[in-house]
Amino acid sequence: MPATSLKNFFRLTTLRDIGLFLLTLAAFLWLVLRGAEQMGYTWHWQRIPGYLFTLDEDGFSAGPLLQGLGLTLVITSISMLCAGLIGLATALLRLSSSPIGRQLARIYLEISRNTPLLVQIFCFYFIVAPILDIGRMSTAVLALSLFEGAYASEIFRAGIQSIHRGQWEASHSLGLTRWQGYRHVILPQAIRKIMPPLTSQAISLIKDSALVSTIAVYELTMQGRAIIADTYLTFEIWTVVAAIYLVLTLAVSAVAGILKQRLQGVG
Amino acid sequence: MITVRDVTKVFPGGVVALDGFSLDVCRGEVLVIIGPSGSGKSTFLRCLNGLDAIDSGTIIIDGVALDKNEANRLAIRREVGMVFQSFNLFPHLNVEENINLAQQLVQKKKLAEATASTHALLTRVGLLNKANRYPDELSGGQQQRVAIARALALHPKVMLFDEATSALDPEMIGEVLDVMRDLAAEGMTMLVVTHEMGFAREVSDRVVFMDHGRVVEEAASKDFFTKPLHDRTRDFLSQIL
Ligand SMILES: Nc1ncnc2c1ncn2[C@@H]1O[C@H](COP(=O)(O)OP(=O)(O)OP(=O)(O)O)[C@@H](O)[C@H]1O
Ligand SMILES: [Mg+2]
């Protein structure tokens, strides 16, 4: 399956697109180099690999940047899972027949989507964390999960509502309970429509996770800031950090693309 | 078997879809319901199996009164099978899985047991060779026959048909009507909303003409078409015959 999608990818990519891409890349590099030159910046690229990893007689050991990447991966994957669950639960609550449930869900959504994530992170860090007595990591995961969960819930809701109501009528008329209807009839169909927007949400989550560096969680961005504070390798480190995020988000899109093909292959 | 008394259904927005509707249906009876568009035929069928809640009146099916209680609604739905104009098969499941689903979830049958009765049902509607196909690989007529088999899987005491053939190409109407005819011959209690007057005349025991959410006229089908009593019935019949 991955082999065929890779083939498609190359077939679709025309020569013109490759040319344009290289041109843009060259222009970007020129701008960076020129900017550095004007500031009298001397490059120290040779020092960068050491911050990524070291290979010696003890074998491979991850440098601060890769350690940061590891933590970013841990934070985003746990948050993704939690955001998905929160999103689904909130969507079901909003579509439920309970007025209290619907109202609670709406209050959560309004607050979550109408305040800056950074402020939310601070609120969790300075107010909620001491009350619940949780660490910085848990605080970061909690804040990100709740924030992204609000967006995920709107995606779930739209997906669920896009399923024709005849599907509900059929499952009700067969005596299925509401939950059985969701579980066996509605959600399996909705998930196919939900995949693409959910992927972009996952990518947002990866990018937003950089904000938890503000509460000194040593993920990728925080590690970058720490190295720069020590070494003043501003250009090199931010470039590498940006590149790592790019690889990560592109990888998520690729996996999602393959997954989507699989899902659509069935039925 | 079914007793409906003074049922009223008002939709949000003030549309009175059923307005003091009363009807009795005996066991094994095949009843055809006709009436102009918007007269409340679909609403009546939907209320019978609890898809829509009634605002007042009573519905008693096989001795059990339909009320707002969820458990009661589920119990009624299991006794009442429904076939829709637009089939409403589950597109992500194949034919066999469509028919297995409620048997497994509602009757708690094991897969093998469910599949066995599914195959018996598919044989009955002549589609055993399509067991592993998905709904979008079937013609409309075949889909509707699968939908009938699916509704029969729970051994309902009553079957409701809401314009089961209206979405079909003319050449496929016959195969679905044949299945319905067999079902009627087996003694199933059936309420059929249809525009197929041939079917009504031939298969049904009684015809009910409704308009504006009420019964205007009901008569044994042999009398209904030959000597309608009301002007409105006569007008309607002259339009569609
Ligand atoms: N969900 C709903 N919300 C509001 N009004 C509705 C709803 N469903 C039906 N109605 C209204 O109730 C009335 C009866 O509708 P119903 O579908 O029962 O008619 P019908 O006899 O089945 O018509 P048709 O022959 O066109 O199917 C109509 O005026 C319709 O507009
Ligand atoms: Mg109708």
Side-chain angles (χ1 to χ4, degrees), chain B residues 41-42 85 162-163:
Chain B
K41 306 180 296 289
S42 298
Q85 178 173 353
D162 192 1
E163 305 200 19

Side-chain angles (χ1 to χ4, degrees), chain B residues 89-163:
Chain B
L89 292 180
F90 305 133
H92 61 297
L93 301 178
N94 67 24
V95 165
E96 190 175 292
E97 292 164 340
N98 259 279
I99 304 175
N100 278 347
L101 188 67
Q103 299 180 58
Q104 291 175 279
L105 294 178
V106 176
Q107 297 178 320
K108 311 290 179 204
K109 283 190 191 169
K110 294 265 182 301
L111 178 64
E113 195 190 344
T115 308
S117 53
T118 294
H119 284 182
L121 284 163
L122 282 174
T123 309
R124 206 159 138 193
V125 299
L127 288 173
L128 187 57
N129 57 339
K130 305 286 185 196
N132 296 315
R133 293 301 180 83
Y134 282 87
D136 63 1
E137 298 172 316
L138 302 182
S139 74
Q142 292 169 336
Q143 288 190 50
Q144 194 60 297
R145 282 146 69 197
V146 172
I148 294 173
R150 182 176 69 174
L152 288 173
L154 296 181
H155 305 296
K157 297 191 175 118
V158 183
M159 284 285 282
L160 312 176
F161 294 83
D162 192 1
E163 305 200 19

Side-chain angles (χ1 to χ4, degrees), chain A residues 40-110:
Chain A
Y41 192 86
T42 28
W43 294 99
H44 293 286
W45 283 109
Q46 73 286 356
R47 290 172 60 190
I48 297 304
Y51 291 112
L52 286 169
F53 59 87
T54 47
L55 272 175
D56 48 30
E57 56 276 14
D58 299 337
F60 179 90
S61 57
L65 285 182
L66 279 195
Q67 282 171 8
L69 173 63
L71 198 57
T72 292
L73 285 175
V74 170
I75 292 174
T76 49
S77 44
I78 298 177
S79 304
M80 234 176 255
L81 197 72
C82 295
L85 292 176
I86 292 170
L88 183 59
T90 311
L92 296 185
L93 212 56
R94 276 204 78 181
L95 295 170
S96 76
S97 50
S98 145
I100 298 172
R102 285 203 304 261
Q103 205 53 36
L104 279 177
R106 268 204 48 202
I107 292 171
Y108 157 57
L109 290 180
E110 294 299 336

Side-chain angles (χ1 to χ4, degrees), chain B residues 209 216-217 228-238:
Chain B
F209 174 66
V216 174
E217 178 165 355
L229 293 175
H230 289 257
D231 289 343
R232 262 194 288 171
T233 318
R234 237 168 274 149
D235 286 348
F236 182 75
L237 285 176
S238 68

Side-chain angles (χ1 to χ4, degrees), chain B:
Chain B
M1 175 82 191
I2 301 177
T3 308
V4 180
R5 282 286 166 274
D6 297 321
V7 165
T8 307
K9 170 74 191 174
V10 184
F11 280 108
V15 180
V16 182
L18 293 177
D19 185 9
F21 188 93
S22 297
L23 190 70
D24 291 282
V25 185
C26 312
R27 193 179 301 278
E29 192 175 16
V30 177
L31 186 78
V32 161
I33 302 170
I34 61 174
S37 180
S39 56
K41 306 180 296 289
S42 298
T43 306
F44 171 55
L45 292 191
R46 294 166 53 82
C47 286
L48 267 188
N49 74 345
L51 282 180
D52 281 333
I54 57 176
D55 293 309
S56 67
T58 47
I59 295 179
I60 299 170
I61 297 176
D62 207 23
V64 183
L66 190 62
D67 60 35
K68 290 210 167 62
N69 178 297
E70 181 67 18
N72 170 284
R73 260 161 68 156
L74 284 175
I76 291 275
R77 281 170 184 160
R78 287 161 199 187
E79 304 293 315
V80 180
M82 180 141 180
V83 176
F84 303 88
Q85 178 173 353
S86 50
F87 328 137
N88 296 345
L89 292 180
F90 305 133
H92 61 297
L93 301 178
N94 67 24
V95 165
E96 190 175 292
E97 292 164 340
N98 259 279
I99 304 175
N100 278 347
L101 188 67
Q103 299 180 58
Q104 291 175 279
L105 294 178
V106 176
Q107 297 178 320
K108 311 290 179 204
K109 283 190 191 169
K110 294 265 182 301
L111 178 64
E113 195 190 344
T115 308
S117 53
T118 294
H119 284 182
L121 284 163
L122 282 174
T123 309
R124 206 159 138 193
V125 299
L127 288 173
L128 187 57
N129 57 339
K130 305 286 185 196
N132 296 315
R133 293 301 180 83
Y134 282 87
D136 63 1
E137 298 172 316
L138 302 182
S139 74
Q142 292 169 336
Q143 288 190 50
Q144 194 60 297
R145 282 146 69 197
V146 172
I148 294 173
R150 182 176 69 174
L152 288 173
L154 296 181
H155 305 296
K157 297 191 175 118
V158 183
M159 284 285 282
L160 312 176
F161 294 83
D162 192 1
E163 305 200 19
T165 55
S166 296
L168 297 176
D169 293 335
E171 70 270 20
M172 293 171 186
I173 291 175
E175 61 190 63
V176 173
L177 289 181
D178 284 345
V179 171
M180 291 167 65
R181 201 172 282 129
D182 291 348
L183 208 54
E186 286 164 25
M188 175 64 79
T189 309
M190 294 163 67
L191 276 73
V192 184
V193 171
T194 185
H195 299 302
E196 295 296 327
M197 290 306 130
F199 178 87
R201 230 184 300 222
E202 224 187 288
V203 182
S204 77
D205 302 305
R206 192 153 52 113
V207 178
V208 172
F209 174 66
M210 66 182 289
D211 198 7
H212 301 298
R214 303 168 185 234
V215 176
V216 174
E217 178 165 355
E218 55 176 302
S221 55
K222 58 183 192 311
D223 300 331
F224 184 87
F225 294 98
T226 47
K227 33 191 175 197
L229 293 175
H230 289 257
D231 289 343
R232 262 194 288 171
T233 318
R234 237 168 274 149
D235 286 348
F236 182 75
L237 285 176
S238 68
Q239 274 169 32
I240 56 168
L241 287 178

